[in-house]
């Protein structure tokens, strides 16, 4: 993630990332153009020695002006960063998202006053390098946004980087969310927000780290050639953060922004003297009605399918099973159109999508919705924010927080789901970023029902390993795993994304310390929720001729824990609920018996949402290991981390234990 780049949802704006560090125990250097000797010579940041860079100082100041008779909101950002390691150089490449609507120029945004410098110590002296205009570019992101990109020159390990800019916005009803943390630590950051009395905002502060806050009342004076002068009372909010930890990416957190320190200003209304009060608050019901009345959303769903023969070509004329009908039409659509990798809420024209042969999930989903309706299915959009983009603010509804939708088909009391981004899944087997707790199913009249897509059937893996141990320490056997739902999709996806089948098999063999032959995935390319992985394998283990030391799992299920940190401040988010059942049967060599065997293991969280059970049985000359692992919820809070970590550590320990087999 580049510095300052936080994509807002659709029509509106930018979340401008804010940072600012202070050196521990030192006076804050607020003066730009003059980094201190300590800032220039520092080689590490004491609170986080691993940090590739640290934000020494950032100031974000937001205020209102009156320009040409209308209100305008301005935000000035000043940032100083210390590059501590070579990989920290990327934080001198900055991106700022802003509104540039190429279809409506009545309101706009502009970035002005952009300046940037690099400071390096050379031969004991500070050398200052200014960024030139050829290091600045602007590129269009979509119909309503552009991206300002710039790269500060002469940046290397040890460089101090400074930059500043001002964003001027005609969207006076929207204030960028202030985000105090980023993926590198912040030594000092300050947010200064001044709001005139005419604007009534809800100021919402969230996050686990603390800041020093202050609210004051002061006088504001506006002067404009068109409107004349105007004085009013304003409220100034000040938020100061010191030594804020890095919000590092984590494979078990979808959107760190959900948990970081931030301040959101949501406009409730505007009341200017001599004017009627204007209400800006919305409900999700109002937003639902608005979407379903829009020409490019709700009315688009009701149009005839733009691919005339799509439904007939799918062969569903006599099909009565809803899921099979959904799957057949989806397969027919994906044989003609490909997903381009983008998630959107609104779509391009259907004719453009069909001509190009690909489109966003929204492009394809609108066609799919109309096809389903043509086939007699009760198909509706389910609008949402993807898990990677953050949770929807249920208390402050805003269409700008929505960033995509999936297709829902109502079948009695059940709703089935599909999305055009599905490559290896199935009906009700969606990519994990779409398995949100907050999906709003919209009827044609705009009324909606909130659905939890994480309540879909849990994924399952049933694994059977049959192996034979020879007296010379050779283990030979077969592996068969029946995967269902998202575990099946994950297996297919991993195989599909490998360079080739041989590369995939070699990595699988290396990971498990085995030699693989006769590998196959049944139904790998079939559009269904099940896949079966099979292979034969062999491996060599230690023996001295009398004793054989063998791992009873034969193929361990977990070699190391993903939760190595002693403490954790963020929740643990699983992509989906799942269970793994594995039975390993190991045939001992003739004349050998088990001398030492591990103890069984049973660990269960208090709410029974996470558990592991491992049991060992001896039946004649066979050793049987039964393993069951269950994850029955998707979010574990920080206060549950200790037991979660304990369970994973115990699984790893059991997977490393050895059974001693002795010649009788």
């Amino acid at each position: 993630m580049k510095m300052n780049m936080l994509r807002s949802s659709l029509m509106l704006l930018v979340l401008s990332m804010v940072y600012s560090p202070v050196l521990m125990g030192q006076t804050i250097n607020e003066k730009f153009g003059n980094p201190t000797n300590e800032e220039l010579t520092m080689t590490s940041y004491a609170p986080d020695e691993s940090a590739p860079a640290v934000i020494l100082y950032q100031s974000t100041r937001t205020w209102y002006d009156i320009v040409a008779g209308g209100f305008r909101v301005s935000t000035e950002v000043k940032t100083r960063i210390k590059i501590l390691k070579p990989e920290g150089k990327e934080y001198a490449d900055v991106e700022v998202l802003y509104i540039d609507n190429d279809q409506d120029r009545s309101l706009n945004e502009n970035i002005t006053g952009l300046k940037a410098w690099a400071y390096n110590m050379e031969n004991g002296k500070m050398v200052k390098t200014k960024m030139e205009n050829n290091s600045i570019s602007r590129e269009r992101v979509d119909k309503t946004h552009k991206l300002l990109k710039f790269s500060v020159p002469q940046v290397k390990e040890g460089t101090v980087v400074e930059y500043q800019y001002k964003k001027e916005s005609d969207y006076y009803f929207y204030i960028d969310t202030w985000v105090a943390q980023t993926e590198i630590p912040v030594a000092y950051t300050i947010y200064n927000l001044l709001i005139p009395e005419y604007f009534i905002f809800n100021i919402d502060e969230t996050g686990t780290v603390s800041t020093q806050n202050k609210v004051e009342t002061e006088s504001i004076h506006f002067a404009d050639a068109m409107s004349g002068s105007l004085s009013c009372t304003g409220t100034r909010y000040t938020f100061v953060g010191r030594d804020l930890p890095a919000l590092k990416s984590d494979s078990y957190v979808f959107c760190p922004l959900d948990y970081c320190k931030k301040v959101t200003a949501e406009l409730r209304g505007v009341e200017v003297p001599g004017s009627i009060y204007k209400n800006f608050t919305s409900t999700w019901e109002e937003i639902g009605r608005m979407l379903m009345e829009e020409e490019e959303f709700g009315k688009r769903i009701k149009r005839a399918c733009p691919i005339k023969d799509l439904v007939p070509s799918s062969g569903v004329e006599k099909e009565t099973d809803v899921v099979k009908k959904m799957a057949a039409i989806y397969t027919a659509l994906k044989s003609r159109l490909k997903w381009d990798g983008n998630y959107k809420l609104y779509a391009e024209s259907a004719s453009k999508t069909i001509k190009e042969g690909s489109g966003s999930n929204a492009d394809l989903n609108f066609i799919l919705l109309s096809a389903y309706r043509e086939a007699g299915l009760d198909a509706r959009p389910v609008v949402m924010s993807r898990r990677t983009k953050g949770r929807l603010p249920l208390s402050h509804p805003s269409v700008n927080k929505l960033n995509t939708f999936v297709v829902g088909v109502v079948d009695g009391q059940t709703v089935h789901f599909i999305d055009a981004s599905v490559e290896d899944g199935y009906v009700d087997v969606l990519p994990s970023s779409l398995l949100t707790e907050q999906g709003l199913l919209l009827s044609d009249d705009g009324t909606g029902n909130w659905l939890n897509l994480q309540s879909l059937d849990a994924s399952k893996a049933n694994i059977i390993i049959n192996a034979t141990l020879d007296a010379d320490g050779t283990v030979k056997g077969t592996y068969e795993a029946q995967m269902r739902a998202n575990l099946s999709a994950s297996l297919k996806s991993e195989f599909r994304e490998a360079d080739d089948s041989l590369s995939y098999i070699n990595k699988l063999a290396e990971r498990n310390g085995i030699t693989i032959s006769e590998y196959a995935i049944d139904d790998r390319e079939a559009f269904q929720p099940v896949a079966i992985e099979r292979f034969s394998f062999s491996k060599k283990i230690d023996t001295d001729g009398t004793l054989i030391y063998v791992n009873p799992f034969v193929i361990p299920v977990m070699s190391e824990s993903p939760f190595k940190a002693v403490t954790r401040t963020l929740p643990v988010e699983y992509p989906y609920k799942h269970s793994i059942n594995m039975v390993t049967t190991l045939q001992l060599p003739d004349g050998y018996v088990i001398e030492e065997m591990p103890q069984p293991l049973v660990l269960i969280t208090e709410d029974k949402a996470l558990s592991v059970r491992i049991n060992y049985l001896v039946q004649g000359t066979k050793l049987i290991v039964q393993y069951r692992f269950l994850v029955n919820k998707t979010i574990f809070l920080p206060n549950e981390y200790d037991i979660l970590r304990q369970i994973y550590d115990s699984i790893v320990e059991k997977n490393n234990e050895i059974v001693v087999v002795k010649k009788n």
Side-chain angles (χ1 to χ4, degrees):
M1 182 174 66
K2 300 294 184 183
M3 174 110 13
N4 276 2
M5 171 70 182
L6 280 174
R7 305 203 175 203
S8 57
S9 310
L10 259 103
M11 289 163 52
L12 296 178
L13 291 163
V14 154
L15 297 171
S16 181
M17 276 194 142
V18 287
Y19 332 84
S20 27
V22 101
L23 298 179
M24 299 213 32
Q26 303 298 315
T27 302
I28 302 161
N29 177 19
E30 299 184 73
K31 185 177 180 181
F32 262 45
N34 189 26
T36 65
N37 186 66
E38 183 174 4
E39 290 171 332
L40 288 165
T41 59
M42 68 182 291
T43 57
S44 64
Y45 178 62
D48 185 354
E49 297 283 352
S50 66
V54 56
I55 297 168
L56 299 172
Y57 173 85
Q58 185 167 59
S59 165
T60 303
R61 188 168 65 94
T62 299
W63 70 95
Y64 277 84
D65 292 314
I66 296 179
V67 178
F71 281 105
R72 182 177 66 186
V73 63
S74 296
T75 298
E76 180 187 68
V77 176
K78 293 184 176 182
T79 303
R80 181 184 302 117
I81 306 170
K82 174 69 178 187
I83 309 302
L84 297 170
K85 298 181 180 180
E87 58 268 30
K89 292 189 295 182
E90 68 175 284
Y91 296 98
D93 299 327
V94 185
E95 299 178 348
V96 183
L97 189 68
Y98 65 99
I99 293 180
D100 186 287
N101 193 330
D102 62 0
Q103 296 180 337
D104 181 6
R105 295 293 178 181
S106 60
L107 298 176
N108 229 325
E109 290 188 337
N110 194 26
I111 307 296
T112 63
L114 174 60
K115 298 177 183 178
W117 306 267
Y119 303 89
N120 289 290
M121 291 294 287
E122 295 182 8
N123 299 320
K125 294 183 179 181
M126 183 183 75
V127 176
K128 179 179 179 179
T129 305
K130 182 181 179 181
M131 181 181 70
E132 302 296 337
N133 289 337
N134 59 10
S135 296
I136 305 170
S137 64
R138 297 175 190 253
E139 66 179 46
R140 181 156 294 284
V141 177
D142 52 38
K143 292 179 180 179
T144 57
H145 291 91
K146 276 189 175 179
L147 197 63
L148 174 71
K149 304 172 72 172
F150 61 91
S151 297
V152 184
Q154 299 299 316
V155 173
K156 55 189 176 183
E157 183 178 355
T159 302
V160 172
V161 172
E162 288 186 338
Y163 62 83
Q164 64 183 53
Y165 63 86
K166 178 181 177 183
K167 186 174 76 170
E168 299 171 332
S169 175
D170 297 329
Y171 295 86
Y172 64 88
F173 42 81
Y174 184 85
I175 292 176
D176 293 346
T177 296
W178 179 70
V179 184
Q181 292 173 273
T182 182
E183 57 188 13
I184 57 175
V186 176
Y188 180 86
T189 181
I190 181 169
Y191 179 40
N192 199 296
L193 171 63
L194 180 59
I195 299 176
E197 61 182 283
Y198 312 129
F199 298 89
I200 305 168
F201 277 90
N202 289 322
I203 306 298
D204 189 21
E205 181 187 2
T206 58
T208 57
V209 299
S210 60
T211 54
Q212 296 172 302
N213 307 335
K214 185 166 59 174
V215 181
E216 302 170 291
T217 301
E218 64 181 67
S219 297
I220 301 176
H221 180 73
F222 298 107
D224 176 55
M226 182 178 294
S227 307
S229 61
L230 179 67
S231 296
C232 68
T233 301
T235 303
R236 183 179 296 279
Y237 299 86
T238 304
F239 301 85
V240 176
R242 298 173 184 266
D243 300 322
L244 303 183
L247 200 69
K248 299 176 182 178
S249 59
D250 189 316
S251 58
Y252 283 87
V253 173
F254 277 87
C255 182
L257 185 62
D258 281 335
Y259 309 106
C260 77
K261 188 69 177 185
K262 58 184 179 291
V263 174
T264 303
E266 293 281 351
L267 184 62
R268 296 201 335 252
V270 176
E271 188 171 15
V272 179
S275 300
I276 297 175
Y277 174 80
K278 185 175 181 180
N279 183 22
F280 278 80
T281 58
S282 298
T283 64
W284 283 112
E285 184 176 351
E286 291 171 339
I287 290 171
R289 284 200 301 268
M290 179 199 74
L291 284 171
M292 295 307 290
E293 290 171 1
E294 282 188 353
E295 190 69 32
E296 291 305 312
F297 196 88
K299 292 184 179 180
R300 184 168 185 160
I301 294 168
K302 300 169 188 175
R303 298 173 192 163
C305 181
I307 303 178
K308 302 300 182 183
D309 65 336
L310 181 60
V311 175
S313 69
S314 66
V316 297
E317 182 180 358
K318 297 182 180 179
E319 182 61 67
T320 58
D321 184 275
V322 169
V323 171
K324 290 181 179 178
K325 185 178 286 190
M326 289 175 65
I329 296 173
Y330 180 82
T331 302
L333 175 70
K334 292 302 285 284
S335 69
R336 306 187 190 203
L337 300 175
K338 304 299 181 185
W339 177 52
D340 66 8
N342 294 309
Y343 287 100
K344 293 184 179 180
L345 181 64
Y346 293 90
E348 303 286 348
S349 69
S351 59
K352 179 181 178 182
T353 300
I354 294 169
K355 181 180 179 180
E356 295 182 352
S358 67
S360 69
N361 76 319
D363 292 324
L364 274 61
N365 280 346
F366 277 119
I367 298 173
L368 189 61
L369 274 164
S370 59
Y372 280 165
R373 290 186 171 211
E374 182 181 315
L377 297 175
D378 184 3
R380 312 178 194 179
V382 183
V383 295
M384 63 177 62
S385 172
R386 300 191 336 265
R387 293 170 78 183
T388 50
K389 293 297 182 180
R391 289 185 173 83
L392 291 176
L394 297 182
S395 59
H396 304 299
S398 171
V399 70
N400 306 304
K401 303 300 182 183
L402 300 172
N403 48 61
T404 196
F405 72 94
V406 303
V407 177
V409 173
V410 179
D411 180 19
Q413 299 299 311
T414 303
V415 181
H416 297 289
F417 305 93
I418 191 69
D419 184 77
S421 63
V422 169
E423 299 286 349
D424 302 295
Y426 190 65
V427 177
D428 296 330
V429 184
L430 304 178
S432 57
S433 67
L434 298 177
L435 295 177
T436 175
E437 295 177 297
Q438 304 163 313
L440 184 58
L441 177 73
L442 295 177
S443 301
D444 284 356
D445 62 1
T447 57
N449 295 315
W450 287 104
L451 303 176
N452 182 357
L453 277 69
Q454 293 178 6
S455 64
L456 296 176
D457 289 343
S459 298
K460 297 179 181 178
N462 292 310
I463 304 169
I464 297 175
I465 299 174
N466 288 309
T468 300
L469 173 63
D470 292 338
D472 65 355
T474 301
V475 177
K476 296 180 179 180
T478 60
Y479 174 100
E480 179 176 309
Q482 185 179 82
M483 308 290 195
R484 185 169 186 84
N486 279 91
L487 287 174
S488 167
S490 179
L491 171 64
K492 292 179 181 180
S493 176
E494 186 177 356
F495 189 91
R496 177 173 54 83
E497 293 173 0
D499 294 336
D500 50 53
S501 59
L502 182 60
S503 173
Y504 175 85
I505 293 169
N506 287 340
K507 288 181 180 178
L508 179 64
E510 182 180 357
R511 185 165 66 236
N512 291 293
I514 57 177
T515 300
I516 292 178
S517 61
E518 300 177 20
Y519 182 90
I521 298 180
D522 297 353
D523 303 317
R524 179 174 61 84
E525 297 183 354
F527 188 59
Q528 62 179 36
V530 176
I532 300 176
E533 183 180 41
R534 311 172 192 268
F535 57 82
S536 299
F537 68 90
S538 63
K539 65 188 297 186
K540 193 76 173 177
I541 58 177
D542 292 337
T543 178
D544 63 3
T546 302
L547 300 177
I548 305 175
Y549 305 92
V550 60
N551 186 316
F553 285 88
V554 180
I555 298 178
V557 294
M558 190 182 300
S559 58
E560 63 177 354
S561 171
F563 306 116
K564 295 182 172 62
V566 177
T567 61
R568 185 181 176 98
T569 58
L570 297 180
V572 171
E573 297 181 346
Y574 285 91
Y576 41 79
K577 302 174 186 177
H578 63 277
S579 64
I580 300 173
N581 294 288
M582 188 175 85
V583 177
T584 300
T585 301
L586 180 64
Q587 174 67 56
L588 304 181
D590 291 339
Y592 281 75
V593 295
I594 294 174
E595 184 173 77
E596 295 180 20
M597 191 164 64
Q599 294 298 309
L601 173 70
V602 177
L603 286 174
I604 306 172
T605 59
E606 187 175 349
D607 61 359
K608 300 181 180 179
L610 184 75
S611 64
V612 60
R613 301 173 188 271
I614 301 175
N615 194 30
Y616 306 88
L617 302 172
V618 177
Q619 293 183 353
T621 58
K622 293 181 178 179
L623 170 63
I624 300 172
V625 181
Q626 299 169 330
Y627 170 83
R628 176 173 173 78
F629 179 70
L630 172 68
V631 177
N632 203 32
K633 69 178 183 182
T634 56
I635 298 180
F636 290 79
L637 299 178
N639 61 3
E640 301 174 287
Y641 178 69
D642 283 347
I643 181 62
L644 186 149
R645 181 168 175 258
Q646 179 186 344
I647 288 174
Y648 274 79
D649 285 347
S650 298
I651 294 172
V652 171
E653 182 180 345
K654 284 295 177 185
N655 274 258
N656 289 325
E657 288 183 336
I658 297 298
V659 167
V660 179
V661 180
K662 182 179 180 180
K663 191 171 184 178
N664 192 5

